[in-house]
Amino acid sequence: MLNVVLFGPPGSGKGTQSAKLIEKYGLVHLSTGDILRAELAAQTELGKEAKRYMDKGELVPDHVVIGMIGRKLDENGKVNGFIFDGFPRTTSQAEALDTLLAGKNTSITLMVALDVPHEELVKRLLNRGKESGRADDQNVEVIENRIRVYHRETAPVIQYYEARNKFYPINGVGSIDEIFSRLCEVIDRHK
Ligand code: ADP
């Protein structure tokens, strides 16, 4: 299996690149942000709990997202592999993911991390807020908090994969196709 963690701060282009990667490599896309937004739209208990965190730009508790990913892995038995987008976002989530995958006799192949400067992230997120109407993309305070939370809680996940020789940084500035080729080049070397 080819199991890719697509990593990067909010607004770094993970969603856009995931769509292209799943098509090229035939992978299943697991985005915790998308799953949480679907729960929110369906007004489930999980969605209602998650909304309290998402509205402030805080992380939803680990046990909630780990449970969600566990269920999605079980639902997708025989597949070529997965793209994890927006997960793991903490070191505990990274450890839990390794355990879940080991239970299925597989593991993470590599992590590709999109590098994008701060000002560019804020610009992209505000733009997306205008186009999509996503509440957490429309407020500069919430955006800045998400980027702060990223540096504090999520960036350490890089060390987790670096220690396992699975971390590959990618320049996330350029055209969508340029960035896509950079990702494919690294993935093709390791698959
Ligand atoms: P972005 O990467 O643009 O911030 P996402 O769609 O990945 O957007 O996530 C939106 C929100 O959902 C996050 O700000 C957070 O509140 C919540 N969330 C998504 N994934 C996770 C996760 N793995 N752990 C905790 N919270 C998460």
mmCIF file of all heavy atoms in Angstrom, residues 10-11 14 32-33 36-37 54 58-60 65 86-87 89 93 128 134 136 146, ligand 1:
data_model
loop_
_atom_site.group_PDB
_atom_site.id
_atom_site.type_symbol
_atom_site.label_atom_id
_atom_site.label_comp_id
_atom_site.label_asym_id
_atom_site.label_seq_id
_atom_site.Cartn_x
_atom_site.Cartn_y
_atom_site.Cartn_z
ATOM 1 N N PRO A 10 -2.561 25.470 7.784
ATOM 2 C CA PRO A 10 -3.838 25.816 7.149
ATOM 3 C C PRO A 10 -3.585 26.718 5.943
ATOM 4 O O PRO A 10 -2.788 27.648 6.034
ATOM 5 C CB PRO A 10 -4.593 26.609 8.232
ATOM 6 C CG PRO A 10 -3.919 26.294 9.516
ATOM 7 C CD PRO A 10 -2.524 25.862 9.204
ATOM 8 N N GLY A 11 -4.209 26.396 4.831
ATOM 9 C CA GLY A 11 -4.051 27.239 3.639
ATOM 10 C C GLY A 11 -2.863 26.859 2.780
ATOM 11 O O GLY A 11 -2.570 27.521 1.782
ATOM 12 N N LYS A 14 -3.325 21.655 0.871
ATOM 13 C CA LYS A 14 -3.456 20.201 1.030
ATOM 14 C C LYS A 14 -4.684 19.657 0.291
ATOM 15 O O LYS A 14 -4.597 18.634 -0.365
ATOM 16 C CB LYS A 14 -3.552 19.823 2.522
ATOM 17 C CG LYS A 14 -2.346 20.273 3.344
ATOM 18 C CD LYS A 14 -2.409 19.742 4.773
ATOM 19 C CE LYS A 14 -3.538 20.336 5.579
ATOM 20 N NZ LYS A 14 -3.324 21.721 6.010
ATOM 21 N N THR A 32 -9.638 14.927 7.846
ATOM 22 C CA THR A 32 -10.401 15.107 9.092
ATOM 23 C C THR A 32 -11.236 16.382 9.027
ATOM 24 O O THR A 32 -12.352 16.410 9.531
ATOM 25 C CB THR A 32 -9.477 15.117 10.328
ATOM 26 O OG1 THR A 32 -8.292 15.834 10.018
ATOM 27 C CG2 THR A 32 -9.135 13.713 10.768
ATOM 28 N N GLY A 33 -10.717 17.437 8.379
ATOM 29 C CA GLY A 33 -11.495 18.679 8.243
ATOM 30 C C GLY A 33 -12.792 18.429 7.479
ATOM 31 O O GLY A 33 -13.872 18.856 7.906
ATOM 32 N N LEU A 36 -15.177 16.309 9.578
ATOM 33 C CA LEU A 36 -15.785 17.123 10.643
ATOM 34 C C LEU A 36 -16.839 18.066 10.088
ATOM 35 O O LEU A 36 -17.916 18.225 10.675
ATOM 36 C CB LEU A 36 -14.700 17.913 11.388
ATOM 37 C CG LEU A 36 -13.766 17.094 12.286
ATOM 38 C CD1 LEU A 36 -12.567 17.923 12.736
ATOM 39 C CD2 LEU A 36 -14.528 16.571 13.507
ATOM 40 N N ARG A 37 -16.558 18.680 8.930
ATOM 41 C CA ARG A 37 -17.553 19.588 8.338
ATOM 42 C C ARG A 37 -18.818 18.835 7.917
ATOM 43 O O ARG A 37 -19.919 19.353 8.028
ATOM 44 C CB ARG A 37 -16.951 20.380 7.166
ATOM 45 C CG ARG A 37 -16.179 21.622 7.634
ATOM 46 C CD ARG A 37 -15.693 22.477 6.476
ATOM 47 N NE ARG A 37 -14.657 21.786 5.711
ATOM 48 C CZ ARG A 37 -13.369 21.744 6.061
ATOM 49 N NH1 ARG A 37 -12.947 22.380 7.139
ATOM 50 N NH2 ARG A 37 -12.502 21.089 5.333
ATOM 51 N N MET A 54 -13.746 24.238 16.371
ATOM 52 C CA MET A 54 -13.432 24.707 15.019
ATOM 53 C C MET A 54 -13.709 26.195 14.881
ATOM 54 O O MET A 54 -12.951 26.920 14.242
ATOM 55 C CB MET A 54 -14.233 23.915 13.986
ATOM 56 C CG MET A 54 -13.828 22.452 13.956
ATOM 57 S SD MET A 54 -14.917 21.410 12.982
ATOM 58 C CE MET A 54 -14.406 21.798 11.314
ATOM 59 N N GLU A 58 -9.339 26.192 17.288
ATOM 60 C CA GLU A 58 -8.628 25.243 18.158
ATOM 61 C C GLU A 58 -8.743 23.840 17.576
ATOM 62 O O GLU A 58 -9.603 23.578 16.729
ATOM 63 C CB GLU A 58 -9.260 25.245 19.556
ATOM 64 C CG GLU A 58 -9.140 26.567 20.312
ATOM 65 C CD GLU A 58 -7.697 26.908 20.676
ATOM 66 O OE1 GLU A 58 -6.924 25.975 20.945
ATOM 67 O OE2 GLU A 58 -7.364 28.106 20.672
ATOM 68 N N LEU A 59 -7.910 22.924 18.074
ATOM 69 C CA LEU A 59 -7.996 21.544 17.605
ATOM 70 C C LEU A 59 -9.135 20.820 18.316
ATOM 71 O O LEU A 59 -9.354 21.005 19.515
ATOM 72 C CB LEU A 59 -6.682 20.801 17.882
ATOM 73 C CG LEU A 59 -5.457 21.268 17.112
ATOM 74 C CD1 LEU A 59 -4.269 20.359 17.432
ATOM 75 C CD2 LEU A 59 -5.709 21.282 15.614
ATOM 76 N N VAL A 60 -9.828 19.986 17.577
ATOM 77 C CA VAL A 60 -10.823 19.077 18.138
ATOM 78 C C VAL A 60 -10.031 18.030 18.945
ATOM 79 O O VAL A 60 -8.931 17.640 18.534
ATOM 80 C CB VAL A 60 -11.626 18.443 16.974
ATOM 81 C CG1 VAL A 60 -12.582 17.377 17.469
ATOM 82 C CG2 VAL A 60 -12.369 19.534 16.193
ATOM 83 N N VAL A 65 -10.973 12.741 16.830
ATOM 84 C CA VAL A 65 -10.497 12.557 15.451
ATOM 85 C C VAL A 65 -9.857 11.182 15.254
ATOM 86 O O VAL A 65 -9.978 10.587 14.180
ATOM 87 C CB VAL A 65 -9.529 13.683 15.005
ATOM 88 C CG1 VAL A 65 -10.260 14.988 14.813
ATOM 89 C CG2 VAL A 65 -8.389 13.870 15.961
ATOM 90 N N GLY A 86 -4.683 16.722 6.842
ATOM 91 C CA GLY A 86 -5.122 17.371 8.077
ATOM 92 C C GLY A 86 -5.065 16.430 9.275
ATOM 93 O O GLY A 86 -5.570 16.744 10.346
ATOM 94 N N PHE A 87 -4.451 15.309 9.110
ATOM 95 C CA PHE A 87 -4.275 14.300 10.157
ATOM 96 C C PHE A 87 -2.994 13.530 9.863
ATOM 97 O O PHE A 87 -2.794 13.174 8.703
ATOM 98 C CB PHE A 87 -5.474 13.337 10.166
ATOM 99 C CG PHE A 87 -5.422 12.289 11.240
ATOM 100 C CD1 PHE A 87 -5.996 12.521 12.477
ATOM 101 C CD2 PHE A 87 -4.762 11.080 11.020
ATOM 102 C CE1 PHE A 87 -5.938 11.561 13.475
ATOM 103 C CE2 PHE A 87 -4.696 10.117 12.025
ATOM 104 C CZ PHE A 87 -5.297 10.362 13.249
ATOM 105 N N ARG A 89 -2.433 15.724 13.419
ATOM 106 C CA ARG A 89 -2.180 17.126 13.728
ATOM 107 C C ARG A 89 -1.532 17.292 15.101
ATOM 108 O O ARG A 89 -1.259 18.414 15.513
ATOM 109 C CB ARG A 89 -3.507 17.858 13.742
ATOM 110 C CG ARG A 89 -3.661 18.926 12.644
ATOM 111 C CD ARG A 89 -5.047 19.531 12.822
ATOM 112 N NE ARG A 89 -5.312 20.698 12.054
ATOM 113 C CZ ARG A 89 -5.827 20.734 10.829
ATOM 114 N NH1 ARG A 89 -6.033 19.621 10.172
ATOM 115 N NH2 ARG A 89 -6.107 21.872 10.266
ATOM 116 N N GLN A 93 -1.746 11.918 17.850
ATOM 117 C CA GLN A 93 -2.473 11.415 16.673
ATOM 118 C C GLN A 93 -1.531 10.599 15.778
ATOM 119 O O GLN A 93 -1.931 9.587 15.206
ATOM 120 C CB GLN A 93 -3.096 12.564 15.882
ATOM 121 C CG GLN A 93 -4.235 13.273 16.616
ATOM 122 C CD GLN A 93 -4.840 14.428 15.834
ATOM 123 O OE1 GLN A 93 -4.657 14.545 14.615
ATOM 124 N NE2 GLN A 93 -5.565 15.299 16.519
ATOM 125 N N ARG A 128 -10.295 32.055 0.251
ATOM 126 C CA ARG A 128 -11.134 30.866 0.305
ATOM 127 C C ARG A 128 -12.402 31.166 1.104
ATOM 128 O O ARG A 128 -13.485 30.713 0.757
ATOM 129 C CB ARG A 128 -10.357 29.707 0.948
ATOM 130 C CG ARG A 128 -11.093 28.378 0.883
ATOM 131 C CD ARG A 128 -10.213 27.221 1.283
ATOM 132 N NE ARG A 128 -9.976 27.189 2.713
ATOM 133 C CZ ARG A 128 -9.174 26.297 3.308
ATOM 134 N NH1 ARG A 128 -8.526 25.393 2.603
ATOM 135 N NH2 ARG A 128 -9.011 26.320 4.614
ATOM 136 N N ARG A 134 -16.774 29.435 4.185
ATOM 137 C CA ARG A 134 -16.350 28.709 5.393
ATOM 138 C C ARG A 134 -16.096 29.698 6.528
ATOM 139 O O ARG A 134 -15.263 30.597 6.393
ATOM 140 C CB ARG A 134 -15.059 27.953 5.065
ATOM 141 C CG ARG A 134 -15.113 26.493 5.420
ATOM 142 C CD ARG A 134 -13.825 25.822 5.040
ATOM 143 N NE ARG A 134 -12.909 25.753 6.168
ATOM 144 C CZ ARG A 134 -11.802 25.032 6.181
ATOM 145 N NH1 ARG A 134 -11.476 24.333 5.108
ATOM 146 N NH2 ARG A 134 -11.027 25.016 7.235
ATOM 147 N N ASP A 136 -14.597 29.582 9.450
ATOM 148 C CA ASP A 136 -13.267 29.735 10.065
ATOM 149 C C ASP A 136 -12.248 30.366 9.122
ATOM 150 O O ASP A 136 -11.113 30.637 9.514
ATOM 151 C CB ASP A 136 -12.762 28.388 10.614
ATOM 152 C CG ASP A 136 -12.604 27.313 9.548
ATOM 153 O OD1 ASP A 136 -13.121 27.485 8.416
ATOM 154 O OD2 ASP A 136 -11.964 26.290 9.846
ATOM 155 N N ARG A 146 -5.389 29.660 14.183
ATOM 156 C CA ARG A 146 -5.130 28.346 13.579
ATOM 157 C C ARG A 146 -3.650 28.198 13.232
ATOM 158 O O ARG A 146 -3.071 27.126 13.396
ATOM 159 C CB ARG A 146 -5.987 28.156 12.340
ATOM 160 C CG ARG A 146 -7.409 27.722 12.695
ATOM 161 C CD ARG A 146 -8.398 28.088 11.644
ATOM 162 N NE ARG A 146 -8.191 27.445 10.367
ATOM 163 C CZ ARG A 146 -8.674 27.914 9.215
ATOM 164 N NH1 ARG A 146 -9.384 29.034 9.194
ATOM 165 N NH2 ARG A 146 -8.463 27.267 8.105
HETATM 166 P P1 ADP B 1 -7.188 23.837 7.499
HETATM 167 O O1 ADP B 1 -6.094 22.843 7.208
HETATM 168 O O2 ADP B 1 -7.412 24.769 6.378
HETATM 169 O O3 ADP B 1 -7.075 24.506 8.843
HETATM 170 P P2 ADP B 1 -9.095 21.680 7.928
HETATM 171 O O4 ADP B 1 -10.269 21.572 7.056
HETATM 172 O O5 ADP B 1 -8.040 20.644 7.853
HETATM 173 O O6 ADP B 1 -8.569 23.113 7.596
HETATM 174 O O7 ADP B 1 -9.555 21.761 9.470
HETATM 175 C C1 ADP B 1 -10.506 22.688 9.937
HETATM 176 C C2 ADP B 1 -10.644 22.587 11.460
HETATM 177 O O8 ADP B 1 -11.062 21.254 11.836
HETATM 178 C C3 ADP B 1 -9.340 22.808 12.252
HETATM 179 O O9 ADP B 1 -9.092 24.180 12.507
HETATM 180 C C4 ADP B 1 -9.641 22.008 13.542
HETATM 181 O O10 ADP B 1 -10.486 22.723 14.417
HETATM 182 C C5 ADP B 1 -10.419 20.813 13.037
HETATM 183 N N1 ADP B 1 -9.542 19.667 12.739
HETATM 184 C C6 ADP B 1 -9.296 19.147 11.495
HETATM 185 N N2 ADP B 1 -8.460 18.104 11.582
HETATM 186 C C7 ADP B 1 -8.150 17.948 12.896
HETATM 187 C C8 ADP B 1 -7.321 17.047 13.639
HETATM 188 N N3 ADP B 1 -6.621 16.085 13.031
HETATM 189 N N4 ADP B 1 -7.246 17.189 14.985
HETATM 190 C C9 ADP B 1 -7.954 18.135 15.607
HETATM 191 N N5 ADP B 1 -8.735 19.031 14.986
HETATM 192 C C10 ADP B 1 -8.847 18.937 13.642
#
